[in-house]
Amino acid sequence: MFKRWNLKGGLDLEGHKDLSRQYSIINAAIPDQLIYPLVDRSGNAMTVLVKTGDRVLKGQVIAGSKGVQGTLLHAASSGLVKENEWRMIAHPSGLKSWCLIIATDGLDEPGPVYEPVDYTQLSAADICEKVHQAGIVGLGGASFPTAVKITPNNVRAVDTLIINGAECEPYITCDDRLMQQYPSEILLGIQVLLRALAIESCVIGIEEDMPEAIEAIQQAIECSGFKQIQVKVVPAVYPVGGERQLIYLLTGRETPSQGLPVDVGVVCQNVGTVMAVYQAIVKGQVLIERVVTVTGLGIKKPQNRWVRIGTPIKDLVSQCGGYNGPIERLIMGGLMMGFSLPDDGVGITKATNCILVATSKEVTKSSEAEIQPCIRCGECASACPVNLLPQQIYWHSQGGAHQKCQSFGLFDCIECGCCDVVCPSHIPLVQYFRASKSKLFLKRREDEAATLAKQRFENRDTRKVQEKVEREQRIRLKKLALVKLQKGRPSAPAKMQDKS
Ligand code: SF4
Ligand code: SF4
């Protein structure tokens, strides 16, 4: 039923997955401190729902953001709320933010327990509400609120659910391990999502270099009888796990520029997110932990662990045996799409699928290479899986013409880094693209603020004119009433006047 289409561009990269893929997922210890940045994926401030000195319980809602993409944050363990701190967070911008800190008490006392329910008795709206209440966002890295993705009003024309099991970035193995160890749970999570979407068709895309995961899922399908779920093996080419790339590869449908998968009748979820949906609906658990791959030559014991959201990276590193000699870069995410961390004091977020502790053997080559001028070789365009012209975007970006970058499809760039890797001039193209995107976001925000201020000014003017008109109307009415009163008053008696 599902024909496989060919991926445009992309690279055949060395996987480095054997460092961690053979180890079963184990639980990470509860850290002394949990750190939660108080900003959501859109950069909006989150409202804190607890105060300094409060004792919070595991699973208690501690903060939330409003708006269409609003989401909830839950305490990953019990403990005391400390004073908010202004500190570095795990974000490509390298900026600081207010963070909510919980000093854990080691008791891990649970808060409100949500009763597991029979998902077959739930309506689509019930499932969406429970997914929202559990704080579930996309665990593949984008952190888009899952409830929004499956809300009935947003998915009217959807006919296919695609599960992204194509973990294409080098080093990362958390989804591979999840599929190997929890295939039945993932299938139940898929059933819940199919019910929410009111569709029957689902395909799981798994990379060809994950034979154990492919077998585990196929066996679970055989045993469960969920025959409407199909496994499709996709080539181990980077970035086959990009949402748009996987959708195209499995359905031949091209998500439009600036559009969403739903525009081509597809909802796409990462296997980690599906597992979180299973835990929320079938087990009644909110999202307080996720699987993280800790890997790289710079860590003594690479492995996959269930890690509580908010765990400081230094705690995780020490649980994995500590640093293995001098490290070159600490990366959150994979080698290609991840970003460097300022230090190991930041906390694990819902988007953290990997901590890559990289040595000079793994990352210095390109960063130390001398950057040369662009020679217009076109290698970057050939490697680009989105059909962009990276050299053109770079040209306008380095010249500060960020609007022009937009007209060359800047916002379609998925920051996969393929162009960086092939560029013979060693130009850090993605860095330029990220900078241009930030500048344009900032400009958009400033424009919105300016429009709002102008609107408020105009509203104030209109209000003043209106108040003036109303005031004059009141005075006129008062005068009229006075005249009426005077007319209606009996005139002084004529005799009296005569007497005088
Ligand atoms: S980083 Fe952007 S421009 Fe470069 S190859 Fe990837 S999608 Fe294309
Ligand atoms: S690969 Fe590098 S040198 Fe070649 S066109 Fe692209 S930016 Fe220029």
Side-chain angles (χ1 to χ4, degrees), residues 380 383-390 393 412-420 429-430 433:
C380 50
C384 179
V386 193
N387 263 347
L388 299 176
L389 296 171
I393 306 178
D412 286 331
C413 167
I414 57 170
E415 297 174 17
C416 65
C418 289
C419 51
D420 267 14
L429 295 158
V430 178
F433 304 159

Side-chain angles (χ1 to χ4, degrees), residues 55-271:
R55 179 160 191 266
V56 292
L57 301 175
K58 180 165 94 170
Q60 182 179 334
V61 181
I62 48 174
S65 60
K66 292 194 181 128
V68 191
Q69 296 183 20
T71 185
L72 298 174
L73 198 56
H74 304 77
S77 191
S78 58
L80 281 184
V81 177
K82 291 173 69 181
E83 196 132 330
N84 289 349
E85 286 179 23
W86 178 252
R87 53 192 290 168
M88 296 299 281
I89 60 168
H91 195 271
S93 63
L95 295 176
K96 290 185 173 182
S97 159
W98 283 108
C99 293
L100 190 151
I101 314 285
I102 294 174
T104 57
D105 55 18
L107 301 174
D108 211 23
E109 190 180 338
V113 177
Y114 301 96
E115 286 301 314
V117 286
D118 176 2
Y119 73 88
T120 62
Q121 302 303 312
L122 293 177
S123 68
D126 289 340
I127 294 172
C128 288
E129 182 54 24
K130 282 182 180 296
V131 166
H132 171 70
Q133 290 301 331
I136 300 176
V137 297
L139 300 190
S143 295
F144 191 88
T146 305
V148 179
K149 258 190 170 180
I150 59 170
T151 294
N153 281 348
N154 299 341
V155 293
R156 274 193 205 119
V158 165
D159 58 20
T160 306
L161 172 65
I162 285 183
I163 304 302
N164 193 342
E167 199 168 43
C168 61
E169 272 219 67
Y171 290 96
I172 311 176
T173 57
C174 56
D175 289 350
D176 187 355
R177 284 308 318 184
L178 260 181
M179 287 187 284
Q180 288 186 47
Q181 291 179 237
Y182 300 92
S184 307
E185 289 82 351
I186 289 169
L187 292 192
L188 276 174
I190 291 174
Q191 290 296 102
V192 173
L193 289 171
L194 287 173
R195 184 170 177 79
L197 297 166
I199 58 170
E200 294 200 337
S201 174
C202 173
V203 57
I204 311 178
I206 310 178
E207 262 196 9
E208 61 192 353
D209 66 351
M210 301 182 190
E212 296 91 353
I214 295 167
E215 199 190 331
I217 295 281
Q218 271 169 339
Q219 265 185 16
I221 292 173
E222 283 297 317
C223 296
S224 66
F226 295 147
K227 295 283 165 65
Q228 80 281 37
I229 303 173
Q230 292 188 48
V231 174
K232 273 284 157 194
V233 180
V234 296
V237 175
Y238 177 80
V240 77
E243 191 173 67
R244 286 161 187 244
Q245 285 66 40
L246 191 64
I247 291 171
Y248 178 73
L249 204 70
L250 294 176
T251 67
R253 302 177 195 175
E254 286 198 63
T255 309
S257 168
Q258 304 287 300
L260 294 169
V262 73
D263 298 331
V264 291
V266 171
V267 164
C268 190
Q269 298 285 359
N270 163 270
V271 285

Side-chain angles (χ1 to χ4, degrees), residues 421-486:
V421 172
V422 297
C423 177
S425 298
H426 308 291
I427 302 169
L429 295 158
V430 178
Q431 265 182 42
Y432 280 96
F433 304 159
R434 281 184 181 154
S436 282
K437 281 184 186 175
S438 304
K439 292 255 160 55
L440 287 165
F441 271 130
L442 204 64
K443 168 110 183 40
R444 199 179 296 171
R445 286 225 160 164
E446 282 169 4
D447 288 351
E448 280 168 7
T451 310
L452 196 69
K454 190 170 168 243
Q455 209 167 13
R456 285 179 61 198
F457 181 77
E458 285 170 359
N459 288 349
R460 181 171 160 270
D461 266 11
T462 314
R463 205 172 55 241
K464 276 191 157 183
V465 171
Q466 210 170 344
E467 281 170 4
K468 193 175 168 213
V469 170
E470 284 171 5
R471 199 166 48 247
E472 285 171 358
Q473 175 84 347
R474 275 201 305 277
I475 293 170
R476 212 168 34 249
L477 286 174
K478 261 190 184 170
K479 279 183 182 167
L480 276 173
L482 206 62
V483 171
K484 255 192 189 171
L485 195 70
Q486 280 171 351

Side-chain angles (χ1 to χ4, degrees), residues 39-45 69-70 145 445:
V39 282
D40 67 11
R41 72 181 288 279
S42 317
N44 296 322
Q69 296 183 20
R445 286 225 160 164

Side-chain angles (χ1 to χ4, degrees), residues 283-303:
K283 305 295 277 183
Q285 297 165 357
V286 296
L287 178 57
I288 55 168
E289 61 180 356
R290 63 157 299 147
V291 181
V292 179
T293 303
V294 186
T295 187
L297 295 176
I299 192 87
K300 282 194 176 143
K301 294 181 195 157
Q303 52 198 257

